[in-house]
């Protein structure tokens, strides 16, 4: 079984739900307290033993490249003042391990992943959707790599949500269940209300075999007129092992304003330096509102 050493991060989206904040700043660089969302996803990948990060970017996303580069002036100044640089951990990857490709047109998540095909090559790989923020110990991808080492094939993260929310997501048609593992018998992208095969959705973490790239090559547009990753994955079911893993931890949907503010609030409350102050401030604000 080949280990998972590469991860693809689709980060080309325009982030229209967060305008005007996203007019210049990529939403993936929005902080949750003090670390950018994308940094948390990279931290999660590094913890899982992944070495090469492949970012599928687009026009206007150049700041992402700078974030993962050496900030010479900053580091030099911090060194000369003997400042602690712990906060910068994971922001500079090993030379050659931060790769950037551009998706030229917004043709869908499946198309974005396919843009990374030559860099992924012929090995299994991970995908992270960075606005799905996963907090766990061990992290979500490390838990998934553990499941992959036992089950092989393809492992997707699975999450139970209220049935009425399923039309916004990729949904699993479940087979047998064994603790946190669910057999994936089918996948549907954004089912119409009342038609979802379960309330188990795909919250943006995947371990996939490279065959998915071959399928994406000719994948036709699906839900929303976009080339969907879910449709390509669905074609691998029955040919390769395919499982969902319900991860032990908390997920914040940072693609929505409520989820993003919730993540900031939760992490601020749990923060060793500011947690107590935030609790006090929050109590006052609630009392005044
Ligand atoms: C994408 C995927 C969907 C997945 C979701 C998770 O949808 O297509 O299968 O469940 O991310 O956030 P999007 O949010 O881009 O519409």
């Amino acid at each position: 079984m080949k280990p998972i050493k590469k991860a693809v991060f689709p980060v080309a989206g325009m982030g229209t739900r967060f305008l005007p904040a996203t007019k210049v700043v990529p939403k993936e660089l929005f902080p949750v307290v003090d670390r950018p969302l994308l940094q948390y996803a990279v931290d999660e990948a590094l913890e899982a033993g992944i070495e090469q990060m492949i970012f599928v970017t687009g026009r206007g996303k150049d700041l992402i490249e700078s974030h993962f580069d050496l900030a010479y002036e900053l580091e030099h100044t911090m060194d000369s003042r003997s400042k602690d640089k712990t906060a910068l951990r994971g922001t500079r990857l090993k030379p050659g391990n931060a790769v950037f490709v551009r998706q030229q047109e917004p043709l869908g998540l499946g198309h974005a992943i396919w843009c990374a095909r030559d860099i992924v090559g012929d090995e299994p790989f991970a995908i992270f959707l960075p606005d799905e923020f996963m907090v766990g110990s061990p992290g979500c991808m490390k838990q998934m790599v553990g499941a992959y080492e036992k089950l092989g094939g393809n492992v997707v993260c699975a999450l139970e949500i209220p049935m009425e929310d399923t039309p916004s997501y990729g949904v699993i048609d479940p087979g047998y269940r064994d603790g946190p593992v669910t057999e994936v018998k089918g996948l549907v992208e954004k089912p119409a209300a009342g038609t979802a095969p379960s309330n188990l959705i795909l919250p943006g973490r995947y371990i996939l075999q490279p065959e998915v790239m071959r399928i994406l090559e000719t994948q036709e547009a699906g839900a929303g007129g976009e080339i969907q990753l879910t449709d390509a994955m669905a074609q691998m079911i029955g040919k390769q092992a395919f499982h969902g893993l319900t991860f032990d931890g908390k997920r914040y949907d940072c693609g929505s304003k409520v989820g993003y503010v919730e993540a900031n609030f939760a992490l601020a409350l749990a923060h060793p330096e500011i947690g107590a102050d935030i609790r006090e401030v929050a109590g006052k604000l609630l009392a005044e509102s």
Side-chain angles (χ1 to χ4, degrees):
M1 185 188 294
K2 287 189 188 167
I4 309 299
K5 294 290 170 201
K6 297 183 180 183
V8 180
F9 300 78
V11 291
M14 289 189 282
T16 46
R17 279 197 274 179
F18 281 88
L19 280 170
T22 46
K23 191 175 170 190
V24 174
V25 179
K27 70 171 173 184
E28 296 80 9
L29 293 183
F30 284 12
V32 173
V33 182
D34 50 13
R35 283 180 91 68
L37 269 172
L38 184 55
Q39 185 66 56
Y40 287 107
V42 167
D43 294 344
E44 189 188 324
L46 289 168
E47 183 208 11
I50 293 169
E51 291 168 0
Q52 189 172 63
M53 313 299 164
I54 306 161
F55 301 96
V56 182
T57 71
R59 274 182 298 285
K61 295 289 187 130
D62 306 3
L63 284 175
I64 294 177
E65 209 164 329
S66 299
H67 176 80
F68 289 103
D69 199 357
L70 165 65
Y72 178 76
E73 219 175 306
L74 174 73
E75 294 201 23
H76 177 77
T77 308
M78 289 177 86
D79 283 340
S80 67
R81 295 181 188 170
S82 304
K83 292 247 190 219
D84 178 19
K85 292 196 299 182
T86 317
L88 292 175
R89 72 186 186 282
T91 62
R92 182 149 50 104
L93 302 169
K94 253 196 179 161
N97 277 355
V99 183
F100 298 86
V101 290
R102 276 196 181 202
Q103 183 191 27
Q104 295 144 328
E105 291 176 273
L107 298 178
L109 176 60
H111 179 262
I113 301 303
W114 179 74
C115 290
R117 65 197 177 282
D118 284 348
I119 302 153
V120 167
D122 196 26
E123 48 183 288
F125 64 105
I127 300 172
F128 292 75
L129 307 192
D131 57 9
E132 293 282 1
F133 178 32
M134 304 300 210
V135 180
S137 184
C140 181
M141 186 53 69
K142 189 160 183 174
Q143 294 180 35
M144 288 174 63
V145 165
Y148 166 76
E149 283 166 357
K150 289 192 199 105
L151 301 161
N154 305 274
V155 178
V156 291
C157 187
L159 179 84
E160 273 190 55
I161 62 160
M163 202 61 177
E164 62 268 26
D165 295 338
T166 52
S168 304
Y169 296 98
V171 183
I172 295 176
D173 181 3
Y176 74 81
R177 291 196 188 204
D178 179 11
V181 173
T182 303
E183 178 197 8
V184 176
K185 282 183 19 191
L187 290 167
V188 199
E189 180 67 18
K190 301 196 173 65
T195 67
S198 75
N199 65 341
L200 211 51
I201 62 128
L202 304 173
R205 297 288 183 279
Y206 313 77
I207 291 174
L208 299 177
Q209 294 297 319
E211 284 74 21
V212 74
M213 294 296 194
R214 249 94 78 196
I215 298 170
L216 282 168
E217 186 99 31
T218 53
Q219 184 65 51
E220 309 227 322
E226 298 192 335
I227 298 170
Q228 296 291 353
L229 176 64
T230 305
D231 295 343
M233 292 190 299
Q235 294 184 52
M236 295 163 81
I237 299 165
K239 297 179 189 134
Q240 299 184 350
F242 217 117
H243 295 92
L245 179 79
T246 304
F247 108 105
D248 181 15
K250 175 93 177 115
R251 167 252 189 178
Y252 300 94
D253 172 11
C254 289
S256 82
K257 286 176 189 140
V258 172
Y260 176 66
V261 174
E262 183 192 3
N264 270 285
F265 191 39
L267 265 75
L269 281 174
H271 197 285
E273 281 161 32
I274 61 168
D277 288 349
I278 294 293
R279 194 168 299 275
E280 203 184 312
V281 167
K284 271 192 209 149
L285 284 174
L286 286 173
E288 285 163 19
S289 68

